[in-house]
């Protein structure tokens, strides 16, 4: 008998769970379990019980298991990508569902291979102090709906590698993607080491304050991040907070626009704009303003949008009604304020109820809601500036500080501007490109703590000084 599909393995019968729609067609894909607070208690008890033995396995064995998991992710890549594409809405093609599943394998292998040796921080004759990194215990991983598989891997692979056990709480919008990923992990992990709890917000809130948790890895909105900080006063859980962004990009004077246009487009529109570290406000020098606006508009018009499973589409729907309403309201507000809608600016109902055309908005400036607020969708405001110092000041005049980018033919000049921008990462001639060896995290209201590489392993470890 052939083994059940991943979807069959994770869904529960209709009537016993929450129905999950296809983001593009709204057809029901399957039903996710609705775990209760008792289920959460049980999972945390099992995680605590499993942690000492998991830790005792040692780094080499845990790394071996993580590589086996990455192999299995690759073996089931297409099945995972189809579940993700349907539930989240992102197309299979382009920098979307297949790309995200590929990244899951890459980040899992990176967590397996990154080495965190004890650090000697003081030495004087026989006296020596070393910092060692131990497991923390049980980590709670709470994630968003935009890159649900990849962000879950970012949270859980380093946690597991360091000898922690993990409770995962996916977004209620994308439980199946994370359950499917968890199913692959759990084919290799001892019982109790990883549990996926798909409850509602009540369960999320209970994780954040639970005394059985030692660390919360949270990725989501700044608003929910604040609630997590409040909840953690109860258990003093360590926190890594990857929160919202309103990333600015600055195109410097006299830049060759044809050389950067495609990177600029994907910096704004990756995952149909539903990306934390995407370009959300673009400041362009007046010398190249119309050229940039036209290049973005041409690409926005040319890029195929539609149902994710249909080959060739690279832009999809908004994932949920709430996000669709936010994008539509912000663009309508910009139009009402007199901004110029160069392309898009309206829903695409012929594609499905949650599609919104790729939108470029010009002749707009700071103070407009589309510039000041996080749109998290396919609509980029392009703001003209005359003076680079002024553009830097406006880019920095935000409470958020996740990413930023500078665009120029002269990379050294761009780096000098980058040094003045307030953000966790500043990219040159690209935006949002991530590397598992390079630390990633926000400043200001975009959160604190870093993920990836050795910094990411330290974030899920308890530092211990041995002094002699
Ligand atoms: P959200 O804050 O609404 O939800 C995130 C998660 O928190 C979900 O799993 C949700 O169920 C859970 N949650 C809600 N209330 C909770 C509570 N009181 N206690 C504990 N958990 C709770 O965010 P979202 O709408 O899913 O994601 C979009 C936001 O996430 C955007 O602002 C985006 O910029 C941000 N984001 C940031 C990063 C990053 O790396 N910095 C990455 C992706 C998304």
């Amino acid at each position: 008998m052939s083994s059940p599909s991943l979807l069959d393995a994770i869904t529960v019968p209709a009537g016993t769970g929450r129905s999950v729609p296809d983001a593009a067609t709204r057809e029901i894909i399957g039903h996710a379990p609705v775990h209760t607070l008792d289920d959460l208690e049980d999972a945390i008890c099992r995680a605590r019980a499993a942690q000492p033995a998991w830790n005792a396995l040692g780094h080499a064995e845990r790394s071996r298991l993580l590589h086996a998991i990455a192999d299995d992710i690759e073996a089931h890549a297409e099945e995972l990508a189809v579940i993700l594409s349907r539930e989240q809405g992102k197309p299979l093609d382009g920098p979307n569902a297949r790309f995200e599943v590929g990244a899951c394998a890459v980040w899992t292998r990176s967590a397996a291979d990154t080495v965190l040796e004890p650090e000697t921080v003081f030495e004087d004759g026989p006296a020596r102090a070393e910092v060692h990194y131990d497991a923390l215990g049980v980590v709670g991983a709470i994630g968003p709906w935009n890159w649900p598989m990849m962000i879950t891997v970012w949270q859980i692979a380093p946690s597991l590698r360091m000898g922690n056990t993990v409770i995962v709480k996916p977004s209620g919008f994308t439980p199946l993607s994370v359950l499917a990923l968890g199913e692959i992990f759990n084919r290799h992990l001892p019982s109790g080491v990883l549990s996926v709890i798909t409850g509602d917000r009540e369960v999320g809130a209970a994780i954040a304050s639970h005394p059985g948790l030692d660390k919360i890895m949270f990725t989501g909105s700044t608003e929910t991040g604040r609630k997590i900080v409040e909840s953690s006063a109860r258990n003093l859980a360590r926190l890594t907070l990857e929160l919202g962004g309103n990333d600015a990009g600055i195109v410097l004077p006299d830049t060759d626009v044809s050389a950067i246009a495609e990177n600029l487009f994907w910096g704004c529109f990756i995952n149909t704009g539903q990306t934390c570290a995407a370009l959300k406000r673009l400041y362009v020098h007046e010398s190249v303003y119309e050229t940039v606006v036209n290049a973005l508009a041409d690409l926005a018009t040319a890029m195929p949008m539609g149902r994710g499973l249909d080959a060739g589409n690279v832009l999809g729907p908004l994932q949920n009604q709430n996000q669709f309403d936010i994008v539509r309201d912000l663009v309508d507000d910009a139009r009402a304020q007199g901004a110029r809608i160069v392309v898009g600016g309206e829903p695409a109902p012929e594609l499905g109820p949650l599609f919104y055309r790729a939108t470029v908005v010009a002749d707009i400036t700071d103070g407009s809601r589309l510039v000041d607020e996080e749109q998290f969708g396919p609509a980029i405001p392009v703001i003209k500036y005359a003076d680079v110092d002024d553009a830097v000041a406006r880019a920095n005049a935000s409470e958020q500080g996740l990413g930023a980018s500078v665009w120029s033919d002269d990379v050294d000049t761009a780096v000098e501007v980058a040094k003045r921008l307030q953000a966790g990462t500043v990219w040159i001639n690209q935006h949002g490109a991530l590397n598992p060896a390079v630390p990633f995290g926000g400043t200001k209201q975009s959160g604190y703590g870093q993920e990836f590489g050795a910094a990411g392993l330290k974030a899920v470890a308890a530092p211990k000084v041995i002094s002699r």
Side-chain angles (χ1 to χ4, degrees):
M1 221 176 78
S2 65
S3 56
S5 73
L6 274 176
L7 193 57
D8 289 341
I10 58 169
T11 48
V12 295
T16 61
R18 185 188 303 147
S19 54
V20 180
D22 179 306
T25 63
R26 312 315 288 165
E27 181 192 327
I28 300 304
I29 310 170
H31 298 82
V34 181
H35 291 123
T36 62
L37 289 174
D38 285 345
D39 295 326
L40 174 65
E41 280 304 325
D42 179 55
I44 293 176
C45 280
R46 294 194 313 119
R48 292 219 79 84
Q51 196 271 333
W54 175 244
N55 192 33
L57 272 186
H59 282 290
E61 179 59 7
R62 288 193 298 270
S63 292
R64 189 190 68 74
L65 286 169
L66 286 171
H67 276 295
I69 290 166
D71 291 344
D72 217 1
I73 290 171
E74 284 165 352
H76 289 86
E78 194 62 10
E79 216 181 335
L80 287 166
V82 168
I83 294 171
L84 175 63
S85 176
R86 296 194 69 196
E87 182 180 58
Q88 204 287 328
K90 63 184 67 191
L92 289 173
D93 291 341
N96 292 300
R98 290 187 178 117
F99 167 84
E100 178 167 351
V101 173
C104 289
V106 169
W107 259 264
T108 300
R109 292 194 198 285
S110 173
D113 292 340
T114 304
V115 176
L116 188 53
E117 299 284 8
E119 295 162 6
T120 301
V121 290
F122 174 79
E123 223 171 350
D124 184 11
R128 186 151 96 213
E130 293 169 346
V131 184
H132 293 243
Y133 293 94
D134 294 347
L136 273 166
V138 184
V139 173
I142 304 177
W145 49 260
N146 59 339
W147 293 88
M149 287 186 186
M150 185 176 76
I151 288 174
T152 300
V153 165
W154 293 356
Q155 297 174 331
I156 70 179
S159 299
L160 293 170
R161 166 63 201 279
M162 290 309 293
N164 304 289
T165 51
V166 182
I167 308 291
V168 180
K169 210 299 281 169
S171 164
F173 290 114
T174 49
L176 300 180
S177 300
V178 178
L179 283 163
L181 183 77
E183 168 74 17
I184 300 272
F185 270 72
N186 272 324
R187 289 177 180 176
H188 301 268
L189 296 174
S191 171
V193 168
L194 175 77
S195 296
V196 181
I197 295 290
T198 52
D200 53 20
R201 272 168 195 240
E202 185 192 34
V203 173
I207 291 184
S209 60
H210 198 287
L213 278 255
D214 301 284
K215 165 97 195 186
I216 303 290
M217 301 289 290
F218 174 74
T219 300
S221 63
T222 299
E223 188 191 347
T224 310
R226 280 187 226 287
K227 291 187 189 146
I228 305 267
V229 174
E230 280 171 22
S231 303
S232 71
R234 302 265 302 279
N235 56 3
L236 285 184
R238 279 69 183 134
L239 301 177
T240 295
L241 300 176
E242 297 283 3
L243 308 179
N246 194 15
D247 292 9
I250 301 179
V251 180
L252 295 181
D254 304 320
T255 300
D256 175 4
V257 176
S258 63
I260 60 168
E262 195 137 340
N263 274 0
L264 261 183
F265 177 84
W266 285 116
C268 305
F269 289 92
I270 185 165
N271 199 25
T272 315
Q274 300 161 103
T275 298
C276 50
L279 254 175
K280 292 175 182 153
R281 321 172 263 152
L282 183 59
Y283 294 87
V284 180
H285 188 260
E286 57 189 6
S287 59
V288 287
Y289 184 77
E290 286 304 329
T291 319
V292 167
V293 166
N294 292 334
L296 285 175
D298 288 348
L299 286 164
T301 309
M303 292 294 175
M305 175 182 275
R307 184 167 175 258
L309 299 189
D310 294 343
N313 287 329
V314 292
L315 297 172
L318 275 310
Q319 202 279 332
N320 55 72
Q321 185 71 49
N322 184 44
Q323 199 59 45
F324 177 89
D325 292 345
I326 290 171
V327 173
R328 189 193 48 202
D329 289 353
L330 291 178
V331 175
D332 286 351
D333 177 77
R335 182 191 287 106
Q337 304 288 319
R340 174 165 52 112
I341 310 295
V342 187
V343 285
E346 57 180 11
E350 73 282 8
L351 299 175
L354 296 184
F355 285 87
Y356 196 91
R357 295 188 205 290
T359 299
V360 177
V361 180
D363 302 342
I364 186 168
T365 192
D366 311 69
S368 163
R369 288 181 57 210
L370 182 61
V371 178
D372 295 353
E373 298 177 22
E374 184 184 30
Q375 68 276 53
F376 216 62
I380 184 70
V382 189
I383 306 134
K384 191 187 290 182
Y385 75 86
D387 173 60
V388 174
D389 290 346
D390 179 46
V392 168
R394 286 151 76 180
N396 286 339
S398 166
E399 291 194 331
Q400 311 283 37
L402 187 56
S405 55
V406 187
W407 305 74
S408 173
D409 305 344
D410 179 347
V411 171
D412 292 338
T413 302
V415 168
E416 289 310 308
V417 175
K419 289 178 186 170
R420 298 165 58 198
L421 290 173
Q422 297 164 355
T425 304
V426 186
W427 287 277
I428 310 295
N429 293 333
Q430 53 180 349
H431 196 113
L434 300 175
N435 176 329
V438 178
F440 173 68
T443 58
K444 302 203 275 186
Q445 309 283 307
S446 292
Y448 46 75
Q450 286 186 314
E451 296 182 283
F452 311 168
L457 294 184
K458 286 181 187 177
V460 285
K464 178 174 69 192
V465 175
I466 299 181
S467 225
R468 60 181 167 185

